Amino acid sequence: MTSEIEVSDFVMMSDITEETMMNMLKERFNNDKIYTLIRDVVVSVNPYKKLDIYSEKDINKYRGKNIYELPPHIYTVADSAFLNLREQGKDQCIIISGESGSGKTEASKLIMEYIATVSGSSTKIDKVKNKLLESNPILEAFGNAKTTRNDNSSRFGKYMDLEFDFLGNPIGGHITTYLLEKSRVVNPAKNERSFHIFYHLLGGADTNLLDKLHLTKFFEDYAYLKKSRCTRVLSLEDKTQFENILKALDCIGFTEEEKDTLFNCISAVLHIGNIKYNKDESIDDKVTIENLDVCKIIAELLGVELENLVNAITYRTVVDKSKNSLQKDIKVPLNYEKAVSCQDTLAKTLYEKLFLWLVSRINDKIIHKEDDGSPKYVIGVLDIYGFEIFNQNGFEQFTINYCNEKLQQLFIELTLKSEQEEYNNEGIEWENVDYFNNKDICNLIENKSGSVIALLNEECRRPGEKSDLAFLDKLNTNMMNNNYYDSRVKTRTNKEMDMNMFKIKHFAGDVIYTVDGFIEKNNDLLYNDVSYMMNTSSNPFIREMFPQNMDNLKTPETISTQFKNSMNQLIKNLTSKTPHYIRCIKPNNNKEPGVFDDNLCLNQCKYLGLLENIKVRRAGYCYRKEFKKFIERFKLLSRDTWPHWRGDPEEGVEIIAREVGLTSDDFCLGKTKIFIKKPQMVFNLEECRKAKENDIATIIRAHWLTYAYRKKYLNDIDMVVLIQSMFRTKFEVLKYRDAVNKIICIQKIWRGHSTRKNIKKEWLKYPKFCAKLIWHQWKYYCARKMIRAMNEASKKASHWKKVQWPDETYEGHKYLKNSYQILKNVHTRLSCRKYRNSLTSERKDYLEWKKVAMDNFKGKASWNESLKDQYTKDGLQIGENSKWKKICTDNSKVVQSFDCTKFHRRKPSKEVPRKAVVTENDLYLITTAVGLKDRIPLANISEIGCSTKKDGIIIFHTSDKKGDLIIRTDNKCIEAVTQIYIAAKKKGKDIKITVNDNQNFKNSKATLPVEFANGTDKLLIVPGKDKIMINVPN
């Protein structure tokens, strides 16, 4: 037992009082040690903050460990239950109890997560695990609510059986619920909320679903939700929670129809709360519904007729049992108070029935239905409400405290039973333990006659008007002599109770109950009209929630009787299993981390009976340990048992006990365990062990250092030898290589000498043609070398025109220069052909245009500028002009258009601006406004003349009667003439192009020579009688 365990088990306290217990609990809480043991019971204090002790690493650390091997943890309980189930083949149960806000729900989640992690894994098993784990968020949404003490308080009791096969793999489960707090649906307390699902649906569902359910996103629109004036919880994000609910429903296997039923019923409950009534002025005891539109929505959601719904909540059918009456069923209108009560009862009952139906559906999905004949085992996890004492306690607190009385009775009985069994198995005499037995309190509450439940049921079944005060009178009459019952009638001097109150002295403390509402809540009857109406629903799931059996007219059981029977069944179930306990404590009422309220925690410890449990565990012997484990821990205290004891374990224990001075009065030996009476003796053993540990540690350290330094020395020796071996190996390898190189060198020299010495003799031995063959081979070698060099040069070049040929080597070569030039030419021609093949048809036409221009105009002064220009065909985009389409009647394609100036045929000095358009067939001259002035077919043009100067004069020699045509286009001269030439050639007409400074011009009268000359600043045409002089700028 380590020092950690010494202060982590209440049983090991030297002085057992409330003060020492609280001091120990508070000290551990302040050090973030929230778990403490009472032998095998774990006491858990809610830290109200996240602790890094629940990772997968922590799960693996506690897996398969004894409860005392590691610090206390909730995982020790889960692991102990799982190992007992798997190794002993016995059913187990884990009972989690505590106040609201003490962490019961989180504890049950951690238990299930641990078991899911350590159990087997396969596709089928993982699917079962996911279903079991995903049932938690669904039940939390429908059964948990925000209270003043807890943001996620369970408002129902839950017992879940996790079923395993004989290998310890989860195969299914079953959930049982107890006493849902359905009154919260219609009347949540101030600053509390109704069940989470209402807020998750409104705040998390998408618009389409809300519209389908006739809902809005505003909580204030619903009467039941706004009553408590609390609709938001910061720790719960509605959209995320609703998405998790949908995911969980899909994982478990809910169908779309089942999910629609869930949301329809939830929505119907909200709408029921919005029904408003008007009092009928003509009939005082009759009401009418003010907002029938709300009733239409409810009827639609529940699948019932509107008329049936309205009648069910405004009338009550009374059966006339008189033999003389002809009318058996009489409809009696409800007054305002009864109508509102009927409305609330419908909402509560609908939600309760929906919750029970939801649980049954989950059970259908997760229960194991296959029976292969192999044994099955279960681990039951009970998450039940803790003992409650409020300023005003009603029927709910009575049932909850009754439940805790039963569990406390079971707890004490099983604890004493386990202690007694252990003593009997070890042959140790059992000493009777005085403890508070709450059996009389349980009898006071649940006896078949004369108990609180029996008298309450008697008053509920009594004909006539029932009364809570009449029930209280019966209690006072029947329990006047019971020591655990008190009231104002029994004790007149007790001023803390009013006349409508009674007190029960529970094991955890005295609780005063107010009888108001006991009769109504115990009956909780729904009018038959409402039940029949719900059974007429078109939804089969809703009919399933409200079954009708007309053959069975037996009076239904009251709520207290149902709860009593379910508790007896639960106790019977738990008794058949090996129990494990987790007691949860809430450190403060404000949910603040690091705050420990001593009085609050002390009250909870009393409610949970922790001090009683400690006293029972401490009765007789506080410490017990198996012989082998005791020797393993304390063997270092004696020379005879250190370092190994191989004798009888019992003898070894006696040797250790004598060594530390334990007398026969201090301990007792059983069959397999040693029992020690006082904690101080155990502490003395631990102190002796610690003192001895220092000596043992010194010896171990000395041996370890010897071992470590020797190992280091031997390792250093090995490294030195290895380095020497590697150095010598390297030296010998170098020496060998040097010798080999020298031998090869000598061989080369000798072979060269021998060859040179005998070359002349050998030459004479071969025929003459051998020398020629060798010569040809040499030439082939040189040729191949040249080809390789040329190939490398061509690969390195970025462009085929930029190849750096090895000209300096092969251009003047005696034998290869011709071949070298041929190969260069072949490379150039192949590259050219490859380039030509890569050209598009448009690019080919363009290059042909340039080539024709170069062939005809390379002697013209403006050729260099034209070479750099980008030629364009329809530069004026005349082809897209609508006026042009009227001029060109043959629809021939425009191949060139440009601006020009036309010279008058008879008065050449006169110039007129025109646009020239060349088509596939004709040359057109049009005005700037696109009007036809002249049209010359290309077939009529025989020659085109231009000068060698930089002018743009073009002379067209035609067969037209008007004579030749002179135009001027300064920057389009070359490309225009070339395009006309190409267009005519495509039509089979070969036009001659003359580039010369001496030209001829023919008009309708005569043919005159035209001479071009340089010398003026601008182009000037000087017509004469004998010739036309054109002066061109330099």
Side-chain angles (χ1 to χ4, degrees), residues 262-499:
L262 280 174
F263 298 136
N264 283 350
C265 290
I266 293 296
S267 306
V269 170
L270 292 175
H271 289 300
I272 289 171
N274 286 351
I275 296 177
K276 296 179 181 179
Y277 297 97
N278 286 328
K279 291 185 179 180
D280 195 327
E281 296 180 358
S282 59
I283 306 175
D284 293 338
D285 291 338
K286 184 179 179 182
V287 295
T288 57
I289 296 176
E290 178 181 335
N291 47 352
L292 276 175
D293 55 328
V294 174
C295 291
K296 289 181 181 178
I297 294 173
I298 298 170
E300 175 188 336
L301 293 172
L302 297 179
V304 298
E305 295 293 333
L306 175 62
E307 182 181 359
N308 293 342
L309 173 63
V310 172
N311 289 335
I313 60 178
T314 56
Y315 288 90
R316 179 185 178 188
T317 301
V318 179
V319 178
D320 187 356
K321 298 182 180 180
S322 174
K323 295 181 179 180
N324 299 325
S325 175
L326 298 176
Q327 186 178 2
K328 295 298 182 182
D329 296 339
I330 303 173
K331 282 193 174 183
V332 179
L334 299 178
N335 60 25
Y336 182 80
E337 290 74 18
K338 288 184 178 180
V340 172
S341 176
C342 180
Q343 169 189 353
D344 291 344
T345 303
L346 172 59
K348 291 188 293 184
T349 306
L350 176 58
Y351 191 82
E352 180 189 33
K353 298 280 189 182
L354 176 68
F355 183 77
L356 295 176
W357 176 82
L358 172 65
V359 174
S360 69
R361 274 288 179 268
I362 293 176
N363 285 335
D364 288 342
K365 311 291 184 182
I366 66 176
I367 196 169
H368 179 65
K369 300 176 182 178
E370 301 175 7
D371 186 9
D372 55 3
S374 60
K376 309 290 189 302
Y377 309 104
V378 299
I379 294 179
V381 180
L382 177 63
D383 176 6
I384 203 76
Y385 1 69
F387 198 85
E388 291 187 352
I389 302 178
F390 298 145
N391 293 330
Q392 185 171 351
N393 303 287
F395 182 75
E396 291 83 1
Q397 283 68 46
F398 170 74
T399 54
I400 289 172
N401 293 340
Y402 163 56
C403 168
N404 280 270
E405 287 286 355
K406 295 290 289 183
L407 292 176
Q408 176 67 11
Q409 183 183 20
L410 174 68
F411 178 60
I412 293 297
E413 288 177 357
L414 293 179
T415 301
L416 288 174
K417 182 180 177 182
S418 64
E419 289 287 311
Q420 187 173 5
E421 284 180 353
E422 185 173 18
Y423 283 122
N424 291 337
N425 292 336
E426 293 295 326
I428 304 297
E429 186 178 350
W430 169 257
E431 298 179 5
N432 290 327
V433 180
D434 293 331
Y435 65 94
F436 175 73
N437 191 337
N438 66 340
K439 184 176 180 181
D440 292 338
I441 301 176
C442 292
N443 292 337
L444 166 70
I445 297 174
E446 68 174 5
N447 264 358
K448 290 185 177 180
S449 62
S451 66
V452 177
I453 292 178
L455 295 174
L456 179 60
N457 291 337
E458 180 182 317
E459 178 63 22
C460 290
R461 294 193 184 98
R462 180 175 61 83
E465 194 71 27
K466 285 81 173 175
S467 169
D468 293 320
L469 292 179
F471 160 62
L472 181 58
D473 291 339
K474 289 183 178 181
L475 290 180
N476 291 329
T477 303
N478 288 272
M479 299 184 180
M480 189 63 69
N481 298 323
N482 195 305
N483 295 329
Y484 298 103
Y485 173 84
D486 196 6
S487 69
R488 185 68 178 273
V489 174
K490 181 178 178 180
T491 308
R492 295 286 182 179
T493 58
N494 191 345
K495 301 296 183 181
E496 65 177 346
M497 289 186 291
D498 294 332
M499 296 304 294

Side-chain angles (χ1 to χ4, degrees), residues 695-713:
D695 300 335
I696 299 296
T698 303
I699 297 172
I700 293 174
R701 182 174 183 274
H703 282 280
W704 169 254
L705 290 175
T706 302
Y707 166 76
Y709 280 110
R710 176 174 174 76
K711 185 177 180 181
K712 184 176 183 300
Y713 169 75

Side-chain angles (χ1 to χ4, degrees), residues 73-97:
H73 201 291
I74 195 172
Y75 291 159
T76 59
V77 177
D79 189 72
S80 176
F82 184 68
L83 287 180
N84 289 348
L85 174 134
R86 194 173 61 180
E87 296 177 1
Q88 300 177 14
K90 295 181 180 179
D91 291 345
Q92 310 289 312
C93 66
I94 300 173
I95 302 172
I96 307 171
S97 59

